[in-house]
Amino acid sequence: ETGVTQSPTHLIKTRGQQVTLRCSSQSGHNTVSWYQQALGQGPQFIFQYYREEENGRGNFPPRFSGLQFPNYSSELNVNALELDDSALYLCASSFTTSTDTQYFGPGTRLTVL
Amino acid sequence: SQQGEEDPQALSIQEGENATMNCSYKTSINNLQWYRQNSGRGLVHLILIRSNEREKHSGRLRVTLDTSKKSSSLLITASRAADTASYFCATDLTNTGNQFYFGTGTSLTVIP
């Protein structure tokens, strides 16, 4: 167990809808990163938050946005869902942005119909 | 896009045998890490090797890094059925510092 939790476990949405995924990091972890993992692929970096500010972003459109809160929780919001957004979404926390090891949550499986 | 590529894509071995997986990457790195993923769930950190290291051991795991060839290998000795999982390499690029790039993964099946 990594101490990182995510909710919900599974989610089914319709194209065009909006979704919010949640992550609870380990206490003391100031950094959270979000990844998208399509079926059969490796995780792809969406963005990272450090002390409630975005601290790096991968090649994802602006309809992917995030929030990080002082209580070590965070959210990933996706607007105008597309079929290709169907994937496993993983959050990972670490002490700082320069910490090498990331601790992953179990993920949220999003299906867009 | 994926920074790394694992080889082979899938590997099936008998329990007790050794498993070797390779990872190649494209640009300079700070460090390279290996993660394991069971059944499409969260990733578990296995081992980290820094760019100035050539070999590292952790229990039944042995990792090598060749920065001149931009490649790494993960050896699992005396495999067990519980080692059945997907294995990914992840690189921390020198020009980003905070972004981890994962490869495409090797699916390992250990037959009891």
Side-chain angles (χ1 to χ4, degrees):
Chain A
E1 294 295 324
T2 63
V4 180
T5 60
Q6 292 186 244
S7 63
T9 304
H10 295 91
L11 198 55
I12 299 175
K13 288 287 192 178
T14 303
R15 189 173 53 184
Q17 287 187 314
Q18 177 266 343
V19 69
T20 298
L21 310 181
R22 294 181 173 82
C23 172
S24 180
S25 303
Q26 283 192 29
S27 179
H29 282 194
N30 293 310
T31 304
V32 64
S33 302
W34 285 90
Y35 294 85
Q36 180 195 67
Q37 186 178 21
L39 199 61
Q41 299 295 315
Q44 291 209 37
F45 177 79
I46 302 174
F47 45 56
Q48 182 184 81
Y49 277 77
Y50 173 66
R51 293 188 171 176
E52 304 163 47
E53 297 287 334
E54 188 176 292
N55 187 52
R57 189 179 186 91
N59 190 26
F60 281 81
R63 60 190 185 84
F64 285 78
S65 63
L67 286 171
Q68 185 186 26
F69 303 101
N71 64 351
Y72 305 112
S73 67
S74 58
E75 293 179 353
L76 165 65
N77 298 290
V78 186
N79 293 322
L81 284 167
E82 302 176 358
L83 298 180
D84 286 346
D85 296 333
S86 294
L88 180 69
Y89 288 85
L90 298 160
C91 72
S93 72
S94 56
F95 285 107
T96 70
T97 59
S98 60
T99 302
D100 302 316
T101 301
Q102 297 191 332
Y103 297 86
F104 281 82
T108 292
R109 175 74 62 186
L110 173 65
T111 301
V112 182
L113 302 177
Chain B
S1 61
Q2 304 286 159
Q3 152 74 343
E5 296 284 337
E6 280 92 341
D7 172 65
Q9 284 189 323
L11 180 60
S12 184
I13 59 174
Q14 295 288 332
E15 200 165 32
E17 293 181 335
N18 295 340
T20 300
M21 289 158 262
N22 303 296
C23 167
S24 60
Y25 56 92
K26 299 174 184 175
T27 58
S28 297
I29 61 173
N30 290 314
N31 62 64
L32 185 145
Q33 307 179 54
W34 286 88
Y35 285 83
R36 185 186 72 214
Q37 185 177 39
N38 290 84
S39 303
R41 301 301 286 173
L43 283 82
V44 175
H45 180 262
L46 295 177
I47 194 168
L48 177 150
I49 186 165
R50 300 192 186 281
S51 58
N52 62 352
E53 297 175 313
R54 291 297 168 260
E55 186 171 316
K56 206 161 183 181
H57 296 255
S58 177
R60 295 185 295 113
L61 305 180
R62 172 178 170 258
V63 169
T64 61
L65 179 64
D66 187 337
T67 53
S68 66
K69 295 181 179 178
K70 292 186 171 58
S71 67
S72 173
S73 68
L74 170 67
L75 168 67
I76 304 174
T77 60
S79 64
R80 306 166 181 167
D83 295 329
T84 295
S86 292
Y87 292 82
F88 295 89
C89 65
T91 52
D92 177 7
L93 304 187
T94 54
N95 64 343
T96 62
N98 62 353
Q99 295 187 21
F100 286 72
Y101 289 84
F102 284 81
T104 51
T106 291
S107 177
L108 173 65
T109 301
V110 181
I111 303 167

